């Protein structure tokens, strides 16, 4: 009797910008599996935060059910929370992922001394059972090799999770999306589809990765000097195309930037990146090779100020420099929020006078996510009964929902979820379930702290207005001021003796006046100091810095 | 004898992002005129700064030569520094500008109690003499009415300054660029051209403002509910097209957002914006009108968090709200750096479920700056002997220089300038002159401070890492600690008693140890406190907040 079985629950966790992008729990009775364990990078309005993790309290509370962690592909937003999660779990449940994905994870685990962690390599076409849940992995194409989608079977019905995907008929490694599997699952009956919405507002079909190759070859072949190519270091197919173009025209490849060095090493070891050892040279040997025999693969396509490209553009790289006869290819699009940083690098390169190719003037980048026609094709093949767009901001999820409606899926069979919402499947029917605790946690130094709005608000206030500290020692008997010390940081009047002295005088007068009142307390005196200082500074400078008053009886 | 005459000097001042965009001085002997007096808005890496002004020290030092201030058009980056500059000048030299531009300036002057400032209304086709310098004004098209270009004659030769421009054959007010004047000046002989480079990397011809009208009319006509249009409030032609579309389909226009209210008022008073009074209604009367009879003109096209659009999208506007059946038109492109803020609003609108049109899915915006074909056309008509691309970032200036080279201008007749560079013209020949003091100054509260890197560095440090204040009172005789008070703001451990207590203990031990050393001073003790606290916090929390140590003898 279906009624007596527990529901199949789908629980997207965390994710400021993409429901279910970083982590999704799938649970049936006492069996739970986790899809991905990724992180986010902080926004401008989260100053000083190093990383943002999904809040996986729910996973820890239900650890006894956890049977496995499935990682769809090796990008940070799908793998980056693993070290934190694994340290918080008491038991070592296995990680299931493709060879490439495990290669990307391995370094992370070693760095965090998690070498005992069991990992299981899987590939498209494989099936595993985790308790009452069955999982079929199938090949998908994305901007990193070894991307897998998941088809999950439970006693209440099935769900298909695309992972991040595009539909590329000519991927560089020849591993096309497994359309046969998708159509077979569709024919068997997919009750719920969770599908990548990143490009749901973009019409048409995303171009094949192969289409970038011709353009890269053309530029590299005709460049008079050195060619520098900046792209995501995990975009192994892009790197392969750059290496192929370099080797074809007799140029040596130099690799620079920490993650670029690491990832090319891993990808070469695993056989995902193929370039003869002779064709790779060290950055310090570059001066022995003529400029027109060099291609530099570098980090910095997002304008990161400390990246190899930024250092080279600003003349601060320890071994490589860019000259006016050189060519720079920015083989990426800025992630929202990075536009200005990338533009800063483009301007620095313009000052050098080198030739710059980017998305605006050459076909040097295509997205790793499918556009509207690919999303519709996915829906047409999978033919889900219920649909939840995932991986995307509010605008993308809703655009994806509209695509589904245009293909005949009933609006009430479509779920546009929010953080902490859950879906429950019973007898092949899906509905919204009880919400769970969700959200994000911040990594700041060593700490994993709750999303503490006070700390962030304080930091923004400090950053906008600066801080003034006022220390007053008062006579313990008379409560009159002995010494007053005002110091200021991050304010324009920090070194202005008139303002600082004026502030000290104002505070001293206030403290002395307050000392004569009945019922004197340190707290009351501190409040008086704060008010007096705040008023004085507003009058004198029209600024409102944060004020830290300290009153000490001596 | 040409040798004995002084050189004609062209001096672009300030401008982080655009040489000569905000302010340019033109000087011949004892006659100087200023072209524009604009400001910049601060970047993310200038926290807490309200405004950024060009450093006009050079103008103040040479005030005795100043004969007039010419304003090309009414945008903030060309007018916003006027109140500061006028307050700093001892004499009231007249401002020359078009009727529209003066209308935009007037409010500013009143706000700063500068009502005595003489202003002279000029229009295209007029000529004025300022000492030995002659100035012809000519009409140009831009994203604000009343834009003027300048043709300046001196005993050493002539220069033509385009101002911000596009070449729009069908501008909304019918005032086309004065091609006759441009060609006449070209025939007379323009020795130096300064031309707008903003869109120098964009191929083709920028679309006419009129091309946006059809699309706006179509959307407004077919929208089922209210229509909200966000655009720059100074873009009077855009506002006119929205009003025309609204009136044509029988919708009333509501205006909201401070600058939108001000600018529509000014533009209507001056006759630049034409809409019957009956067709404008107050935001508080909006509930008396059916939704499909309303168009709301609002600020917020750049995603400004306090703008009318942001408030409405977040349900925080005092009189207007957006519902799922409504339509929002974002009739603008994000200025670099604002992409994420705009995307935040788009996501908030997606959550409401309303229909959103922006540049990505409808022709609801065209640029106000000419693209490559227009820049080339300008060069072809003016036929300058020497050329300096202005108004643009490094990449745009260099792209514009390349266009000029492609049209046969000698590379050594082209000057890509940097802040503070100057040009000198003698006998119709131009070369680089002596640089002058230049740069930017910050407005922060009431103060106009020098670009103080320490303050900004402190603010960034505060914002990233927070601050810990440590106050120690020591016995004036024994130098041992009496009281230790540690308080922290903007750090994750601000409320963590263990860390704060541990820090106090560490500091106390350090102070007591230091008290036993020979040659004790308050300074030495303060240094010891700083080091001790810094080490302790790094060990305990792996963070490095700013530390303010205060040591007081009592």
């Amino acid at each position: 009797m279906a009624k007596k079985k527990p529901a199949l629950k789908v629980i997207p966790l965390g994710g400021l910008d993409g429901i279910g992008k970083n982590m999704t729990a799938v649970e049936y009775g006492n069996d739970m599996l986790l899809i991905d364990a990724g992180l986010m990078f902080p926004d401008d309005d989260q100053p000083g935060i190093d990383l943002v993790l999904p809040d996986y309290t729910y996973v820890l509370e239900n650890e006894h059910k956890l049977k496995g962690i499935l990682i769809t592909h090796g990008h940070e937003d799908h793998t980056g929370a693993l070290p934190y999660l694994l340290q918080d779990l008491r038991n070592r449940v296995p990680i299931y992922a493709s060879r490439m994905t495990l290669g990307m994870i391995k370094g992370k685990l070693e760095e965090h001394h998690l070498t005992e962690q069991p990992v299981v390599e899987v590939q498209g076409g494989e099936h595993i059972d985790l308790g009452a849940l069955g999982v079929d992995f199938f090949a998908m194409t994305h901007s990193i090799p070894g991307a897998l989608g998941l088809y999950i079977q439970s006693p209440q019905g099935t769900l298909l999770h695309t992972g991040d995907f595009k539909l590329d008929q000519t991927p560089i490694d020849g591993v096309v999306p497994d359309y046969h599997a998708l159509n077979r699952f569709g024919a068997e009956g997919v009750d719920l589809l969770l599908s990548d919405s990143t490009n749901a507002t973009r019409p048409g079909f995303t171009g094949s990765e192969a289409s970038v190759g011709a353009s890269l070859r053309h530029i590299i072949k005709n460049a008079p000097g050195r060619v520098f190519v900046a792209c995501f270091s995990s975009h192994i197919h892009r790197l392969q195309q750059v290496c192929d173009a370099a080797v074809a025209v007799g140029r040596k490849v130099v690799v620079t930037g920490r993650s670029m060095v690491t990832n090319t090493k891993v990808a070469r070891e695993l056989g995902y990146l193929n370039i003869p050892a002779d064709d790779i040279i060290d950055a310090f040997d570059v001066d022995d090779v003529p400029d027109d025999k060099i291609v530099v693969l570098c980090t910095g396509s997002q304008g990161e100020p400390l990246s190899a490209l930024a250092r080279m553009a600003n003349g601060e790289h320890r071994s490589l420099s860019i000259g006016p006869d050189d060519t720079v290819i920015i083989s990426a699009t800025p992630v929202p929020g990075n536009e200005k940083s990338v533009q800063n690098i483009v301007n620095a390169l313009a000052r050098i006078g080198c030739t710059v190719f980017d998305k605006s003037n050459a076909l040097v980048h295509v997205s790793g996510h499918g556009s509207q026609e690919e999303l519709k094709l996915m829906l047409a093949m999978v033919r889900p009964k219920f649909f939840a767009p995932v991986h995307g901001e509010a605008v993308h999820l809703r655009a994806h929902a509209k695509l589904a409606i245009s293909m005949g899926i009933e609006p009430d069979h479509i779920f546009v979820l929010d953080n902490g919402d859950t879906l429950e499947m019973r007898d092949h029917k899906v509905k919204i379930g009880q919400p769970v605790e969700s959200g994000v946690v911040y990594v700041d130094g060593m700490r994993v702290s709750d999303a503490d709005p006070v700390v962030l608000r304080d930091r923004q206030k400090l950053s906008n207005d600066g801080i003034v500290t006022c220390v007053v020692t008062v006579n313990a008997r008379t409560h009159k001021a002995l010494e007053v010390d005002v110091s200021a940081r991050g304010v324009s009047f920090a070194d202005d003796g008139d303002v600082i002295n004026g502030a000290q005088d104002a505070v001293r007068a206030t403290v002395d006046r307050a000392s004569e009142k009945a019922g004197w307390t340190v707290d009351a005196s501190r409040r008086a100091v704060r008010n007096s200082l705040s008023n004085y500074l507003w009058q004198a400078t029209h600024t409102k810095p944060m004020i830290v008053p300290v009153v000490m009886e001596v």
Side-chain angles (χ1 to χ4, degrees), chain A residues 283-320:
Chain A
F284 288 102
D285 298 333
V286 83
D287 292 332
D288 303 336
V289 180
D291 285 354
D292 64 354
K293 295 294 175 213
I294 289 174
V295 169
V296 178
L297 266 177
C298 60
T299 53
S301 65
Q302 294 301 308
E304 305 91 325
L306 300 177
S307 65
L309 182 60
R311 286 181 201 269
M312 293 187 292
N314 296 314
E316 293 164 355
H317 193 280
R318 67 210 159 102
S319 52
L320 293 162

Side-chain angles (χ1 to χ4, degrees), chain A residues 227-545:
Chain A
V227 178
F228 298 79
V229 186
C231 69
F232 278 114
S233 62
S234 62
H235 202 325
I236 310 301
H237 289 163
R238 190 68 49 83
L239 307 185
Q240 183 69 61
Q241 296 203 90
V242 174
C243 290
D244 288 350
V247 171
V249 300
R251 287 181 183 248
K252 302 291 182 190
V253 174
V254 181
V255 178
T256 184
R258 186 166 169 268
S259 69
M260 192 62 87
V261 170
T262 308
N263 285 351
T264 50
K265 188 164 167 286
V266 169
R268 290 182 70 208
E269 282 168 8
L270 297 176
Y272 283 97
L273 179 63
N274 300 301
I275 177 169
D278 283 356
D279 288 319
I280 291 209
I281 61 169
D282 193 89
F284 288 102
D285 298 333
V286 83
D287 292 332
D288 303 336
V289 180
D291 285 354
D292 64 354
K293 295 294 175 213
I294 289 174
V295 169
V296 178
L297 266 177
C298 60
T299 53
S301 65
Q302 294 301 308
E304 305 91 325
L306 300 177
S307 65
L309 182 60
R311 286 181 201 269
M312 293 187 292
N314 296 314
E316 293 164 355
H317 193 280
R318 67 210 159 102
S319 52
L320 293 162
S321 62
I322 302 176
D325 295 328
D326 293 338
T327 299
V328 175
I329 303 174
I330 300 179
S331 184
T333 323
V335 170
N338 291 348
E339 294 86 352
K340 190 111 186 182
S341 308
V342 173
Q343 186 68 359
N344 288 344
I345 290 195
V346 169
N347 277 321
L349 295 172
R351 285 176 199 278
I352 291 173
C354 61
T355 304
V356 178
F357 292 98
D358 62 15
K359 236 197 140 182
S360 74
N361 59 359
L363 180 57
V364 292
H365 180 68
V366 289
S367 172
H369 298 273
S371 301
Q372 291 180 345
E373 292 308 317
E374 287 152 281
L375 302 184
K376 289 195 272 183
L377 194 45
M378 176 62 73
L379 284 157
M381 291 188 290
V382 172
R383 296 192 300 200
K385 287 206 199 75
F386 295 87
F387 172 55
V390 293
H391 302 189
E393 301 172 27
V395 65
H396 307 125
L397 302 182
R398 280 152 185 88
H400 203 173
K402 276 195 186 171
L403 293 180
I405 292 171
S406 77
M407 296 183 64
I409 298 188
E410 296 292 331
D412 62 357
H413 281 207
I414 298 174
F415 303 97
V416 176
L417 301 178
D418 221 329
N419 290 335
D421 287 346
T422 69
L423 292 177
E424 287 187 7
M425 189 189 294
R426 286 177 201 273
D427 197 16
H428 309 279
K429 288 188 187 62
V430 179
K431 62 182 186 59
I432 293 281
Q434 287 293 317
V436 303
E437 183 180 334
S438 178
V440 296
V441 289
Y442 296 125
V443 179
D444 175 15
M446 261 197 322
R447 295 204 154 227
V448 178
S449 65
D450 270 4
D452 186 342
V454 175
V455 171
L456 294 183
R457 211 168 51 224
D458 276 1
R459 285 186 182 172
Q460 290 196 312
K461 169 93 182 141
L462 286 167
S463 143
N464 284 325
D465 304 320
I467 186 167
V468 176
T469 305
C470 178
V471 181
V472 185
T473 50
V474 298
N475 183 303
R477 195 175 47 77
T478 67
H479 303 148
K480 287 204 187 293
L482 297 171
E483 275 198 72
V484 178
D485 179 283
V486 169
S487 61
R489 301 301 289 268
V491 296
S492 52
F493 55 84
D495 297 324
D496 185 332
D498 290 347
V499 173
I500 300 291
N501 290 335
Q504 287 177 175
D505 292 347
V507 167
R508 183 178 289 274
T510 300
V511 169
D512 287 352
R513 232 174 9 252
S515 72
E516 286 156 13
K517 287 195 184 145
W520 186 94
T521 63
V522 168
D523 270 353
S525 179
R526 196 184 294 127
R527 276 195 301 275
V529 168
R530 179 196 299 279
N531 289 338
S532 155
L533 197 51
S534 172
N535 289 336
Y536 173 80
L537 292 175
W538 177 250
Q539 297 294 337
T541 68
H542 267 225
T543 61
K544 292 193 167 194

Side-chain angles (χ1 to χ4, degrees), chain A residues 94-106:
Chain A
I95 295 172
Y96 298 86
S98 71
R99 187 146 177 246
M100 178 69 208
T101 306
L102 290 179
M104 304 289 285
I105 292 172
K106 209 176 136 199

